[in-house]
């Protein structure tokens, strides 16, 4: 104010990194990166899929690092922004992933009495939600890769299957051209 008293304050942080792939190697800041990743499903006995506290998020990362891991594939869950904050602050690398298991985008493409099949609607919803995830989290330097899908298989319509994978890859890469995109973690 006019008297020199601070009325409000804000703090932030920034991190710079370069991630790229050459051949079959991943590089972080132009140095080969050996990824010792834990598969983290973000489970907490006290809150099931919700961390009971900010401290619990930090402790999870610290325990993983003490066990010798340098990061995590964040599996089948869109993690809390505070998890990414702690990963950024502690130097813990992550792969961002969606909660796509059981997503009915690859089943029977036919339906009765609608303009779009349930499969088409599920695919469009997935892409819209994935856009929100990538847009929300793309400024976290701890995220070094994106993986929109987990273990997709058994698609009765392989053309639709491939198209959705291409669309998810293209969307992710368009929103964040600074990181590799692994369209599916398996199959």
């Amino acid at each position: 104010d006019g008297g020199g008293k601070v009325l409000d304050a804000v703090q932030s942080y920034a991190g710079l990194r370069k991630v790229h792939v050459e051949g079959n190697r991943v590089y972080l800041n132009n140095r080969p990166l050996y990824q010792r990743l834990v598969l983290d499903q973000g489970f907490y006995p006290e809150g099931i899929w919700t961390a009971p506290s900010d401290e619990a998020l930090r402790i999870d990362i610290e325990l993983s690092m003490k066990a010798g891991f340098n990061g995590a594939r964040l599996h089948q869950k869109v993690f809390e922004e505070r998890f990414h904050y702690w990963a950024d602050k502690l130097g813990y690398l992550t792969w961002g992933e969606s909660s796509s298991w059981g997503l009915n985008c690859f089943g029977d493409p036919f339906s009765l009495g609608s303009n779009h099949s349930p499969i088409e609607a599920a695919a469009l919803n997935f892409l819209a939600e994935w856009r929100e995830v990538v847009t929300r989290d793309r400024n976290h330097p701890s995220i070094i890769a994106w993986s929109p899908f987990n273990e997709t298989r058994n698609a009765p319509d392989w053309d639709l299957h491939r198209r959705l994978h291409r669309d998810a890859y293209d969307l992710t890469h368009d929103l964040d051209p600074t990181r590799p995109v692994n369209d599916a973690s398996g199959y």
Side-chain angles (χ1 to χ4, degrees), residues 54-72:
D54 189 58
E55 180 182 12
L57 296 170
R58 180 184 48 80
I59 289 170
D60 262 5
I61 293 170
E62 290 173 343
L63 288 173
S64 180
M65 292 174 82
K66 284 179 185 175
F69 296 100
N70 63 357

Side-chain angles (χ1 to χ4, degrees), residues 8-124:
D8 199 1
V10 66
Q11 288 185 329
S12 187
Y13 66 96
L16 299 174
R17 54 96 190 97
K18 176 186 175 192
V19 181
H20 73 281
V21 177
E22 287 183 29
N24 64 353
R25 299 203 70 173
V26 175
Y27 289 78
L28 177 64
N29 298 329
N30 294 321
R31 293 186 180 143
L33 172 65
Y34 182 76
Q35 298 178 70
R36 292 180 313 277
L37 306 181
V38 65
L39 185 67
D40 190 337
Q41 294 184 316
F43 178 79
Y44 297 90
E46 306 89 348
I48 306 177
W49 305 116
T50 302
S53 66
D54 189 58
E55 180 182 12
L57 296 170
R58 180 184 48 80
I59 289 170
D60 262 5
I61 293 170
E62 290 173 343
L63 288 173
S64 180
M65 292 174 82
K66 284 179 185 175
F69 296 100
N70 63 357
R73 181 176 141 216
L74 304 179
H75 183 57
Q76 285 299 291
K77 177 183 168 183
V78 176
F79 274 60
E80 298 93 327
E81 285 189 89
R82 288 300 292 182
F83 184 92
H84 296 300
Y85 166 81
W86 284 113
D88 293 345
K89 296 300 258 183
L90 297 171
Y92 190 65
L93 306 174
T94 62
W95 282 44
E97 186 174 307
S98 88
S99 52
S100 66
W101 182 257
L103 179 66
N104 190 18
C105 288
F106 308 107
D108 180 4
F110 303 103
S111 68
L112 299 174
S114 69
N115 293 333
H116 298 284
S117 74
I119 303 308
E120 292 169 328
L124 291 171

Side-chain angles (χ1 to χ4, degrees), residues 123-187:
L124 291 171
N125 286 339
F126 173 81
L127 291 172
E129 291 173 7
W130 182 241
R131 172 186 294 279
E132 291 179 15
V133 170
V134 174
T135 299
R136 184 195 81 172
D137 293 340
R138 66 185 170 193
N139 289 323
H140 287 283
S142 58
I143 298 174
I144 61 165
W146 298 107
S147 190
F149 295 112
N150 177 66
E151 301 177 4
T152 61
R153 64 172 182 217
N154 299 332
D157 185 335
W158 284 103
D159 289 333
L160 178 64
H161 182 99
R162 284 188 289 274
R163 180 176 176 187
L164 182 56
H165 276 254
R166 273 193 312 271
D167 289 350
Y169 173 89
D170 290 343
L171 173 67
T172 308
H173 194 265
D174 287 347
L175 292 170
D176 183 1
T178 71
R179 294 176 177 95
V181 179
N182 176 35
D183 68 322
S185 62
Y187 301 107

